[in-house]
PDB file of all heavy atoms in Angstrom:
ATOM      1  N   PRO L   1      81.105  66.541  72.583  1.00  0.00           N
ATOM      2  CA  PRO L   1      82.546  66.456  72.838  1.00  0.00           C
ATOM      3  C   PRO L   1      83.324  67.139  71.727  1.00  0.00           C
ATOM      4  O   PRO L   1      82.758  67.547  70.706  1.00  0.00           O
ATOM      5  CB  PRO L   1      82.805  64.948  72.859  1.00  0.00           C
ATOM      6  CG  PRO L   1      81.726  64.373  71.998  1.00  0.00           C
ATOM      7  CD  PRO L   1      80.529  65.263  72.171  1.00  0.00           C
ATOM      8  N   PRO L   2      84.645  67.276  71.884  1.00  0.00           N
ATOM      9  CA  PRO L   2      85.457  67.885  70.813  1.00  0.00           C
ATOM     10  C   PRO L   2      85.386  67.072  69.520  1.00  0.00           C
ATOM     11  O   PRO L   2      85.121  65.869  69.529  1.00  0.00           O
ATOM     12  CB  PRO L   2      86.874  67.859  71.396  1.00  0.00           C
ATOM     13  CG  PRO L   2      86.690  67.768  72.869  1.00  0.00           C
ATOM     14  CD  PRO L   2      85.439  66.976  73.075  1.00  0.00           C
ATOM     15  N   MET L   3      85.608  67.747  68.406  1.00  0.00           N
ATOM     16  CA  MET L   3      85.662  67.108  67.099  1.00  0.00           C
ATOM     17  C   MET L   3      87.133  66.880  66.738  1.00  0.00           C
ATOM     18  O   MET L   3      87.928  67.827  66.742  1.00  0.00           O
ATOM     19  CB  MET L   3      84.988  67.996  66.054  1.00  0.00           C
ATOM     20  CG  MET L   3      84.904  67.367  64.670  1.00  0.00           C
ATOM     21  SD  MET L   3      83.968  68.402  63.506  1.00  0.00           S
ATOM     22  CE  MET L   3      85.079  69.796  63.307  1.00  0.00           C
ATOM     23  N   HIS L   4      87.493  65.656  66.426  1.00  0.00           N
ATOM     24  CA  HIS L   4      88.898  65.328  66.166  1.00  0.00           C
ATOM     25  C   HIS L   4      89.200  65.092  64.690  1.00  0.00           C
ATOM     26  O   HIS L   4      90.290  65.403  64.219  1.00  0.00           O
ATOM     27  CB  HIS L   4      89.302  64.097  66.967  1.00  0.00           C
ATOM     28  CG  HIS L   4      89.218  64.290  68.451  1.00  0.00           C
ATOM     29  ND1 HIS L   4      90.073  65.124  69.142  1.00  0.00           N
ATOM     30  CD2 HIS L   4      88.359  63.774  69.373  1.00  0.00           C
ATOM     31  CE1 HIS L   4      89.772  65.108  70.431  1.00  0.00           C
ATOM     32  NE2 HIS L   4      88.723  64.308  70.594  1.00  0.00           N
ATOM     33  N   HIS L   5      88.258  64.521  63.946  1.00  0.00           N
ATOM     34  CA  HIS L   5      88.562  64.077  62.585  1.00  0.00           C
ATOM     35  C   HIS L   5      87.971  64.982  61.505  1.00  0.00           C
ATOM     36  O   HIS L   5      88.535  65.116  60.425  1.00  0.00           O
ATOM     37  CB  HIS L   5      88.072  62.641  62.393  1.00  0.00           C
ATOM     38  CG  HIS L   5      88.634  61.693  63.406  1.00  0.00           C
ATOM     39  ND1 HIS L   5      89.974  61.395  63.490  1.00  0.00           N
ATOM     40  CD2 HIS L   5      88.028  60.987  64.408  1.00  0.00           C
ATOM     41  CE1 HIS L   5      90.191  60.546  64.477  1.00  0.00           C
ATOM     42  NE2 HIS L   5      89.023  60.283  65.055  1.00  0.00           N
ATOM     43  N   GLY L   6      86.808  65.586  61.778  1.00  0.00           N
ATOM     44  CA  GLY L   6      86.224  66.489  60.791  1.00  0.00           C
ATOM     45  C   GLY L   6      87.020  67.776  60.671  1.00  0.00           C
ATOM     46  O   GLY L   6      87.868  68.098  61.512  1.00  0.00           O
ATOM     47  N   LEU L   7      86.762  68.528  59.629  1.00  0.00           N
ATOM     48  CA  LEU L   7      87.477  69.786  59.401  1.00  0.00           C
ATOM     49  C   LEU L   7      86.753  70.977  60.015  1.00  0.00           C
ATOM     50  O   LEU L   7      87.376  71.843  60.633  1.00  0.00           O
ATOM     51  CB  LEU L   7      87.668  70.007  57.898  1.00  0.00           C
ATOM     52  CG  LEU L   7      88.553  69.005  57.178  1.00  0.00           C
ATOM     53  CD1 LEU L   7      88.597  69.320  55.681  1.00  0.00           C
ATOM     54  CD2 LEU L   7      89.962  69.016  57.761  1.00  0.00           C
ATOM     55  N   LEU L   8      85.423  71.035  59.848  1.00  0.00           N
ATOM     56  CA  LEU L   8      84.676  72.217  60.269  1.00  0.00           C
ATOM     57  C   LEU L   8      83.229  71.824  60.502  1.00  0.00           C
ATOM     58  O   LEU L   8      82.641  71.073  59.705  1.00  0.00           O
ATOM     59  CB  LEU L   8      84.762  73.299  59.187  1.00  0.00           C
ATOM     60  CG  LEU L   8      84.216  74.686  59.512  1.00  0.00           C
ATOM     61  CD1 LEU L   8      85.002  75.340  60.637  1.00  0.00           C
ATOM     62  CD2 LEU L   8      84.266  75.569  58.259  1.00  0.00           C
ATOM     63  N   ARG L   9      82.649  72.324  61.582  1.00  0.00           N
ATOM     64  CA  ARG L   9      81.223  72.134  61.841  1.00  0.00           C
ATOM     65  C   ARG L   9      80.646  73.456  62.290  1.00  0.00           C
ATOM     66  O   ARG L   9      80.955  73.963  63.364  1.00  0.00           O
ATOM     67  CB  ARG L   9      80.990  71.074  62.921  1.00  0.00           C
ATOM     68  CG  ARG L   9      79.524  70.601  62.970  1.00  0.00           C
ATOM     69  CD  ARG L   9      79.165  69.990  64.306  1.00  0.00           C
ATOM     70  NE  ARG L   9      78.983  71.029  65.316  1.00  0.00           N
ATOM     71  CZ  ARG L   9      78.609  70.764  66.564  1.00  0.00           C
ATOM     72  NH1 ARG L   9      78.430  69.525  66.960  1.00  0.00           N
ATOM     73  NH2 ARG L   9      78.449  71.757  67.426  1.00  0.00           N
ATOM     74  N   ARG L  10      79.785  74.040  61.442  1.00  0.00           N
ATOM     75  CA  ARG L  10      79.159  75.328  61.713  1.00  0.00           C
ATOM     76  C   ARG L  10      77.667  75.110  61.952  1.00  0.00           C
ATOM     77  O   ARG L  10      76.987  74.525  61.110  1.00  0.00           O
ATOM     78  CB  ARG L  10      79.359  76.276  60.530  1.00  0.00           C
ATOM     79  CG  ARG L  10      80.826  76.579  60.226  1.00  0.00           C
ATOM     80  CD  ARG L  10      81.028  77.137  58.820  1.00  0.00           C
ATOM     81  NE  ARG L  10      80.806  76.100  57.806  1.00  0.00           N
ATOM     82  CZ  ARG L  10      81.019  76.279  56.507  1.00  0.00           C
ATOM     83  NH1 ARG L  10      81.445  77.458  56.052  1.00  0.00           N
ATOM     84  NH2 ARG L  10      80.809  75.296  55.650  1.00  0.00           N
ATOM     85  N   VAL L  11      77.171  75.587  63.096  1.00  0.00           N
ATOM     86  CA  VAL L  11      75.755  75.445  63.422  1.00  0.00           C
ATOM     87  C   VAL L  11      75.218  76.807  63.850  1.00  0.00           C
ATOM     88  O   VAL L  11      75.787  77.459  64.730  1.00  0.00           O
ATOM     89  CB  VAL L  11      75.523  74.418  64.550  1.00  0.00           C
ATOM     90  CG1 VAL L  11      74.018  74.207  64.760  1.00  0.00           C
ATOM     91  CG2 VAL L  11      76.202  73.091  64.236  1.00  0.00           C
ATOM     92  N   ILE L  12      74.127  77.225  63.221  1.00  0.00           N
ATOM     93  CA  ILE L  12      73.420  78.447  63.608  1.00  0.00           C
ATOM     94  C   ILE L  12      72.310  78.062  64.576  1.00  0.00           C
ATOM     95  O   ILE L  12      71.575  77.093  64.347  1.00  0.00           O
ATOM     96  CB  ILE L  12      72.822  79.146  62.376  1.00  0.00           C
ATOM     97  CG1 ILE L  12      73.941  79.634  61.446  1.00  0.00           C
ATOM     98  CG2 ILE L  12      71.921  80.311  62.785  1.00  0.00           C
ATOM     99  CD1 ILE L  12      73.436  80.152  60.123  1.00  0.00           C
ATOM    100  N   TYR L  13      72.183  78.842  65.655  1.00  0.00           N
ATOM    101  CA  TYR L  13      71.145  78.578  66.649  1.00  0.00           C
ATOM    102  C   TYR L  13      70.201  79.764  66.745  1.00  0.00           C
ATOM    103  O   TYR L  13      70.632  80.901  66.930  1.00  0.00           O
ATOM    104  CB  TYR L  13      71.762  78.289  68.020  1.00  0.00           C
ATOM    105  CG  TYR L  13      72.493  76.974  68.070  1.00  0.00           C
ATOM    106  CD1 TYR L  13      73.881  76.928  67.941  1.00  0.00           C
ATOM    107  CD2 TYR L  13      71.801  75.777  68.223  1.00  0.00           C
ATOM    108  CE1 TYR L  13      74.554  75.709  67.978  1.00  0.00           C
ATOM    109  CE2 TYR L  13      72.467  74.563  68.264  1.00  0.00           C
ATOM    110  CZ  TYR L  13      73.840  74.532  68.140  1.00  0.00           C
ATOM    111  OH  TYR L  13      74.502  73.335  68.162  1.00  0.00           O
ATOM    112  N   PHE L  14      68.900  79.487  66.633  1.00  0.00           N
ATOM    113  CA  PHE L  14      67.840  80.446  66.892  1.00  0.00           C
ATOM    114  C   PHE L  14      67.034  79.935  68.084  1.00  0.00           C
ATOM    115  O   PHE L  14      66.633  78.764  68.105  1.00  0.00           O
ATOM    116  CB  PHE L  14      66.898  80.592  65.694  1.00  0.00           C
ATOM    117  CG  PHE L  14      67.505  81.257  64.492  1.00  0.00           C
ATOM    118  CD1 PHE L  14      67.119  80.871  63.206  1.00  0.00           C
ATOM    119  CD2 PHE L  14      68.443  82.266  64.622  1.00  0.00           C
ATOM    120  CE1 PHE L  14      67.652  81.486  62.089  1.00  0.00           C
ATOM    121  CE2 PHE L  14      68.988  82.882  63.494  1.00  0.00           C
ATOM    122  CZ  PHE L  14      68.590  82.495  62.235  1.00  0.00           C
ATOM    123  N   GLU L  15      66.763  80.804  69.048  1.00  0.00           N
ATOM    124  CA  GLU L  15      65.963  80.420  70.208  1.00  0.00           C
ATOM    125  C   GLU L  15      64.679  81.247  70.230  1.00  0.00           C
ATOM    126  O   GLU L  15      64.721  82.466  70.071  1.00  0.00           O
ATOM    127  CB  GLU L  15      66.751  80.635  71.501  1.00  0.00           C
ATOM    128  CG  GLU L  15      67.971  79.729  71.594  1.00  0.00           C
ATOM    129  CD  GLU L  15      68.737  79.888  72.894  1.00  0.00           C
ATOM    130  OE1 GLU L  15      68.449  80.857  73.650  1.00  0.00           O
ATOM    131  OE2 GLU L  15      69.613  79.061  73.171  1.00  0.00           O
ATOM    132  N   PHE L  16      63.548  80.551  70.442  1.00  0.00           N
ATOM    133  CA  PHE L  16      62.241  81.191  70.364  1.00  0.00           C
ATOM    134  C   PHE L  16      61.466  81.025  71.671  1.00  0.00           C
ATOM    135  O   PHE L  16      61.518  79.980  72.322  1.00  0.00           O
ATOM    136  CB  PHE L  16      61.408  80.570  69.237  1.00  0.00           C
ATOM    137  CG  PHE L  16      61.922  80.848  67.861  1.00  0.00           C
ATOM    138  CD1 PHE L  16      62.777  79.960  67.231  1.00  0.00           C
ATOM    139  CD2 PHE L  16      61.555  82.004  67.194  1.00  0.00           C
ATOM    140  CE1 PHE L  16      63.239  80.202  65.936  1.00  0.00           C
ATOM    141  CE2 PHE L  16      62.014  82.262  65.906  1.00  0.00           C
ATOM    142  CZ  PHE L  16      62.860  81.358  65.281  1.00  0.00           C
ATOM    143  N   LEU L  17      60.723  82.071  72.001  1.00  0.00           N
ATOM    144  CA  LEU L  17      59.789  82.095  73.125  1.00  0.00           C
ATOM    145  C   LEU L  17      58.480  82.713  72.646  1.00  0.00           C
ATOM    146  O   LEU L  17      58.403  83.253  71.546  1.00  0.00           O
ATOM    147  CB  LEU L  17      60.332  82.970  74.257  1.00  0.00           C
ATOM    148  CG  LEU L  17      61.355  82.387  75.230  1.00  0.00           C
ATOM    149  CD1 LEU L  17      61.929  83.502  76.093  1.00  0.00           C
ATOM    150  CD2 LEU L  17      60.713  81.331  76.101  1.00  0.00           C
ATOM    151  N   SER L  18      57.468  82.671  73.515  1.00  0.00           N
ATOM    152  CA  SER L  18      56.241  83.422  73.255  1.00  0.00           C
ATOM    153  C   SER L  18      56.174  84.608  74.207  1.00  0.00           C
ATOM    154  O   SER L  18      56.676  84.547  75.328  1.00  0.00           O
ATOM    155  CB  SER L  18      55.011  82.536  73.440  1.00  0.00           C
ATOM    156  OG  SER L  18      54.730  82.341  74.809  1.00  0.00           O
ATOM    157  N   ALA L  19      55.552  85.667  73.771  1.00  0.00           N
ATOM    158  CA  ALA L  19      55.401  86.850  74.611  1.00  0.00           C
ATOM    159  C   ALA L  19      54.576  86.536  75.858  1.00  0.00           C
ATOM    160  O   ALA L  19      54.843  87.058  76.940  1.00  0.00           O
ATOM    161  CB  ALA L  19      54.753  87.977  73.809  1.00  0.00           C
ATOM    162  N   ALA L  20      53.584  85.653  75.723  1.00  0.00           N
ATOM    163  CA  ALA L  20      52.753  85.298  76.873  1.00  0.00           C
ATOM    164  C   ALA L  20      53.592  84.622  77.958  1.00  0.00           C
ATOM    165  O   ALA L  20      53.419  84.887  79.154  1.00  0.00           O
ATOM    166  CB  ALA L  20      51.628  84.383  76.438  1.00  0.00           C
ATOM    167  N   GLN L  21      54.493  83.754  77.553  1.00  0.00           N
ATOM    168  CA  GLN L  21      55.356  83.096  78.547  1.00  0.00           C
ATOM    169  C   GLN L  21      56.296  84.077  79.209  1.00  0.00           C
ATOM    170  O   GLN L  21      56.514  84.030  80.416  1.00  0.00           O
ATOM    171  CB  GLN L  21      56.158  81.978  77.877  1.00  0.00           C
ATOM    172  CG  GLN L  21      57.053  81.258  78.875  1.00  0.00           C
ATOM    173  CD  GLN L  21      57.792  80.103  78.255  1.00  0.00           C
ATOM    174  OE1 GLN L  21      57.466  79.671  77.164  1.00  0.00           O
ATOM    175  NE2 GLN L  21      58.792  79.591  78.972  1.00  0.00           N
ATOM    176  N   VAL L  22      56.861  84.985  78.431  1.00  0.00           N
ATOM    177  CA  VAL L  22      57.758  85.997  78.992  1.00  0.00           C
ATOM    178  C   VAL L  22      57.031  86.829  80.043  1.00  0.00           C
ATOM    179  O   VAL L  22      57.561  87.103  81.123  1.00  0.00           O
ATOM    180  CB  VAL L  22      58.310  86.886  77.867  1.00  0.00           C
ATOM    181  CG1 VAL L  22      58.989  88.123  78.451  1.00  0.00           C
ATOM    182  CG2 VAL L  22      59.287  86.103  77.006  1.00  0.00           C
ATOM    183  N   ALA L  23      55.791  87.206  79.738  1.00  0.00           N
ATOM    184  CA  ALA L  23      55.023  88.014  80.681  1.00  0.00           C
ATOM    185  C   ALA L  23      54.679  87.213  81.929  1.00  0.00           C
ATOM    186  O   ALA L  23      54.782  87.712  83.051  1.00  0.00           O
ATOM    187  CB  ALA L  23      53.748  88.513  80.004  1.00  0.00           C
ATOM    188  N   ALA L  24      54.288  85.951  81.755  1.00  0.00           N
ATOM    189  CA  ALA L  24      53.879  85.128  82.891  1.00  0.00           C
ATOM    190  C   ALA L  24      55.046  84.828  83.827  1.00  0.00           C
ATOM    191  O   ALA L  24      54.890  84.798  85.052  1.00  0.00           O
ATOM    192  CB  ALA L  24      53.251  83.822  82.395  1.00  0.00           C
ATOM    193  N   GLU L  25      56.222  84.593  83.239  1.00  0.00           N
ATOM    194  CA  GLU L  25      57.381  84.221  84.044  1.00  0.00           C
ATOM    195  C   GLU L  25      58.306  85.402  84.360  1.00  0.00           C
ATOM    196  O   GLU L  25      59.310  85.226  85.043  1.00  0.00           O
ATOM    197  CB  GLU L  25      58.161  83.122  83.329  1.00  0.00           C
ATOM    198  CG  GLU L  25      57.333  81.872  83.120  1.00  0.00           C
ATOM    199  CD  GLU L  25      58.121  80.755  82.470  1.00  0.00           C
ATOM    200  OE1 GLU L  25      59.361  80.813  82.456  1.00  0.00           O
ATOM    201  OE2 GLU L  25      57.498  79.812  81.960  1.00  0.00           O
ATOM    202  N   ARG L  26      57.951  86.577  83.865  1.00  0.00           N
ATOM    203  CA  ARG L  26      58.745  87.783  84.110  1.00  0.00           C
ATOM    204  C   ARG L  26      60.211  87.556  83.718  1.00  0.00           C
ATOM    205  O   ARG L  26      61.135  87.901  84.458  1.00  0.00           O
ATOM    206  CB  ARG L  26      58.637  88.218  85.564  1.00  0.00           C
ATOM    207  CG  ARG L  26      57.208  88.537  85.973  1.00  0.00           C
ATOM    208  CD  ARG L  26      57.111  88.988  87.415  1.00  0.00           C
ATOM    209  NE  ARG L  26      55.721  89.275  87.785  1.00  0.00           N
ATOM    210  CZ  ARG L  26      55.345  89.682  88.981  1.00  0.00           C
ATOM    211  NH1 ARG L  26      56.241  89.832  89.960  1.00  0.00           N
ATOM    212  NH2 ARG L  26      54.067  89.912  89.232  1.00  0.00           N
TER     213      ARG L  26
END
């Protein structure tokens, strides 16, 4: 939900897969 009381929230997101899964699922 929205943040009302804090000043700042910074989150970095990295998403990972395997090459085998990419090939299998196209």
Side-chain angles (χ1 to χ4, degrees):
M3 184 175 69
H4 297 291
H5 304 295
L7 295 178
L8 189 64
R9 194 202 76 177
R10 299 162 289 186
V11 185
I12 295 172
Y13 291 99
F14 291 146
E15 295 182 349
F16 292 93
L17 278 170
S18 76
Q21 181 177 346
V22 167
E25 299 183 17
R26 300 181 181 180

